[in-house]
Amino acid sequence: MRLCEIFYSLQGEGRLLGVPSVFVRLSGCNLRCVWCDTPYALNPHSGKEITPWEIMAQIRHYSCSHVVITGGEPMLQEELALLCTTLKAEGYHITIETNGTISRSVPWDLISISPKFRHQQTTTVTRHCTTPDVTEKMIKNSEYQLKFVVKEPEDMVFIDDFLAKMGHYDPARVLLMPEGTDKKEQLNKMIWLSEICIKKGFRLAPRLHTLIWGNKRGK
């Protein structure tokens, strides 16, 4: 596997907001979002080559039961299933953070899908996007959250269209998260995002780690 970094912090986003967790950030991503806050993890050759067993050894150093596997895009890693199977066997709670473009048969406790749209991608790569059919497959019979990064109110047109094409979903599992690494910018966006969440029954998802520490690596 290609490992970018491992660190211990608080989960800053989503349903497990504030839970102490070990973060395993894997290298490589098939998207190039214009507002990506972890550009150092995009290159599939960044970081170091490491086995799932070596990753497990590092995780065991922390007195923590929650593990978050993120990226980049972790579903690109062929040995992800082996790592997650080993984590489950040792009783860890697994969250996988993914853009939802790739589906693998991998055990998890919470699948955190952050759908991305074509207008959010740079023009330097093929404009991939998340499709409702892949997302539906991933959330079926699973604990899940759909976490949308919102830059401006106009983004809701794409989000509403995506959800309409999905068919069945739980609005309480739809999270709207303000784009930005600046604290003031995020708080300003949360004002109008909160009104949207109240109207639609969605959940407002602050980015706790950036509000506390800013856009610092390893936090």
Side-chain angles (χ1 to χ4, degrees):
M1 306 184 78
R2 201 74 188 180
L3 175 70
C4 181
E5 60 185 347
I6 293 181
F7 60 94
Y8 179 52
S9 187
L10 299 178
Q11 173 57 276
E13 302 171 355
R15 298 169 65 88
L16 296 177
L17 186 75
V19 175
S21 306
V22 179
F23 290 79
V24 178
R25 187 181 304 285
L26 302 176
S27 299
C29 188
N30 60 333
L31 300 184
R32 292 295 183 272
C33 300
V34 295
W35 32 251
C36 179
D37 59 355
T38 55
Y40 55 88
L42 297 179
N43 189 331
H45 304 295
S46 63
K48 61 180 179 179
E49 196 68 27
I50 189 170
T51 69
W53 315 116
E54 291 171 313
I55 292 177
M56 287 299 306
Q58 293 189 45
I59 291 172
R60 295 187 192 105
H61 284 305
Y62 302 100
S63 179
C64 180
S65 61
H66 283 74
V67 175
V68 180
I69 303 177
T70 186
E73 174 46 59
M75 291 292 186
L76 290 171
Q77 304 277 344
E78 292 185 2
E79 291 189 290
L80 180 63
L82 176 57
L83 174 61
C84 291
T85 299
T86 306
L87 284 166
K88 288 294 292 181
E90 296 194 16
Y92 287 96
H93 180 284
I94 305 168
T95 298
I96 298 181
E97 297 183 337
T98 175
N99 58 36
T101 59
I102 303 168
S103 179
R104 285 188 183 275
S105 180
V106 177
W108 59 63
D109 296 286
L110 174 65
I111 188 71
S112 178
I113 305 173
S114 183
K116 304 299 192 297
F117 305 115
R118 293 183 185 278
H119 76 286
Q120 298 172 332
Q121 303 303 304
T122 69
T123 57
T124 58
V125 295
T126 302
R127 287 173 174 255
H128 300 280
C129 64
T130 310
T131 58
D133 58 328
V134 174
T135 302
E136 278 190 294
K137 179 180 178 180
M138 295 177 77
I139 70 173
K140 187 176 182 180
N141 301 319
S142 290
E143 285 295 315
Y144 71 91
Q145 59 187 21
L146 301 176
K147 190 173 60 179
F148 294 93
V149 178
V150 186
K151 183 178 182 179
E152 52 195 6
E154 289 73 19
D155 286 340
M156 291 306 304
V157 173
F158 299 93
I159 294 171
D160 288 339
D161 180 66
F162 183 91
L163 293 172
K165 290 177 180 176
M166 273 192 60
H168 177 73
Y169 66 92
D170 181 357
R173 294 177 180 270
V174 176
L175 284 62
L176 301 185
M177 186 170 65
E179 183 272 338
T181 55
D182 176 81
K183 183 184 299 187
K184 184 177 180 181
E185 180 184 14
Q186 288 188 59
L187 292 174
N188 285 338
K189 288 178 180 177
M190 286 168 65
I191 294 173
W192 50 264
L193 273 177
S194 65
E195 295 300 321
I196 293 173
C197 289
I198 291 170
K199 180 180 179 180
K200 295 180 176 291
F202 298 162
R203 183 170 174 176
L204 182 64
R207 304 182 69 222
L208 181 64
H209 53 301
T210 58
L211 293 176
I212 297 174
W213 297 294
N215 191 30
K216 290 185 178 180
R217 183 169 175 172
K219 294 293 186 181

